[in-house]
Amino acid sequence: MPEPERSRLRPIAMVRTLAVSAAVLLVLAGCGSDERSGSVGAGPPSSGTASPSGHPDPCATDSRLRFTANLAKVDVDGDGSADQVELGSARGCPALLVVHVSGGSLVTAVLPTGQPAVRTAFGVNLPGRQGSVVVTRQDHPRGGFQLRMWGLEDNELAELTVEGRPLVPFVVLDVDEHPMAVDCGDGGVVLTQAVAHEPAGVLFAWDIKRTSYAVDGNEVTAGRTEEIADNVLPRQLGARYPALVRHASFRSCRAAG
């Protein structure tokens, strides 16, 4: 199954006045998770991000959003209070991830058109980071899911990626071809995977490999990949490495929601 394409990231102007901020918060508080309309931004839209044609990208400049689902409350900016994370849409744009923080709102494109929708999200407290990372989950109708990680740095919400790809690989659920778990580690993220043993023997077996990723702001750097177990038989995998079989995600560092 192909890995979903990486979305494009686009900031939108911060809400500047207390009056407009208060109006947005009242709309959010009054409507719950139902689809609703709200205004983000005061005055004319910002210049936004230039498209390849040189014209401002309408997804970055449109100041009118429809909020379609509340996902989670996560302290993204690190000020000690939970920020509302939700989905939004704008005319002619893909689904947007909106985080309402103190003093305004930030928005970024989540998915290109045609990809599975984001249904859930949660916060993760990476070691040494001020503010939590938002992890969104897309469930594929044919089985499997994609986790994406979003962080705030310099008032910009951006995806944490490795060489342009989501840090956590796509997980296939209808076959046992990719047992995997992801969790927080010293200074970043640790990805543990079971891969087919090489060279292949008479009986199929797994090798267990672990890769560490350092996270500095929204920059991710891959570290060493080390083999932590060799020639693990399929019947042994669940007993020795249950987190891999369950595709466990950030069990040790989920933020309180």
Side-chain angles (χ1 to χ4, degrees):
M1 187 175 301
E3 179 181 76
E5 179 185 349
R6 182 196 177 201
S7 60
R8 298 175 59 196
L9 310 173
R10 304 177 177 96
I12 196 169
M14 297 293 291
V15 179
R16 297 296 185 185
T17 67
L18 293 175
V20 176
S21 296
V24 173
L25 293 174
L26 286 173
V27 171
L28 298 179
C31 297
S33 60
D34 295 333
E35 184 173 302
R36 52 188 168 22
S37 297
S39 177
V40 178
S46 65
S47 59
T49 303
S51 67
S53 65
H55 299 293
D57 192 319
C59 296
T61 61
D62 193 346
S63 62
R64 301 294 300 182
L65 297 177
R66 292 180 64 83
F67 303 110
T68 58
N70 290 335
L71 295 176
K73 287 190 174 182
V74 180
D75 182 12
V76 180
D77 58 5
D79 67 353
S81 60
D83 306 309
Q84 183 66 56
V85 180
E86 55 188 350
L87 291 180
S89 64
R91 294 185 300 272
C93 299
L96 304 175
L97 182 68
V98 182
V99 180
H100 297 275
V101 297
S102 301
S105 297
L106 300 174
V107 61
T108 184
V110 176
L111 298 172
T113 303
Q115 294 293 335
V118 170
R119 299 297 184 190
T120 59
F122 56 90
V124 166
N125 294 326
L126 295 181
R129 183 186 183 95
Q130 181 177 1
S132 301
V133 170
V134 177
V135 179
T136 57
R137 173 168 167 153
Q138 303 159 244
D139 289 289
H140 199 283
R142 290 182 294 173
F145 64 90
Q146 176 70 67
L147 298 181
R148 293 177 181 267
M149 302 178 66
W150 308 85
L152 178 63
E153 183 183 26
D154 297 330
N155 291 330
E156 181 178 353
L157 191 67
E159 185 179 7
L160 277 60
T161 61
V162 178
E163 297 180 350
R165 300 185 302 273
L167 195 158
V168 183
F170 184 84
V171 175
V172 180
L173 295 178
D174 54 356
V175 293
D176 294 331
E177 67 176 21
H178 195 190
M180 182 205 73
V182 61
D183 210 342
C184 295
D186 186 15
V189 174
V190 175
L191 183 68
T192 307
Q193 304 180 74
V195 299
H197 175 73
E198 293 183 355
V202 176
L203 296 177
F204 178 83
W206 299 104
D207 292 336
I208 313 301
K209 297 188 177 184
R210 179 173 294 160
T211 304
S212 298
Y213 295 89
V215 179
D216 183 8
N218 287 341
E219 296 293 324
V220 180
T221 304
R224 297 182 50 191
T225 296
E226 58 180 335
E227 186 174 276
I228 61 174
D230 176 76
N231 212 22
V232 179
L233 296 177
R235 66 175 181 271
Q236 300 171 327
L237 187 67
R240 294 176 59 182
Y241 300 97
L244 302 186
V245 176
R246 297 169 186 166
H247 305 104
S249 304
F250 301 102
R251 293 194 306 178
S252 73
C253 53
R254 289 209 183 193

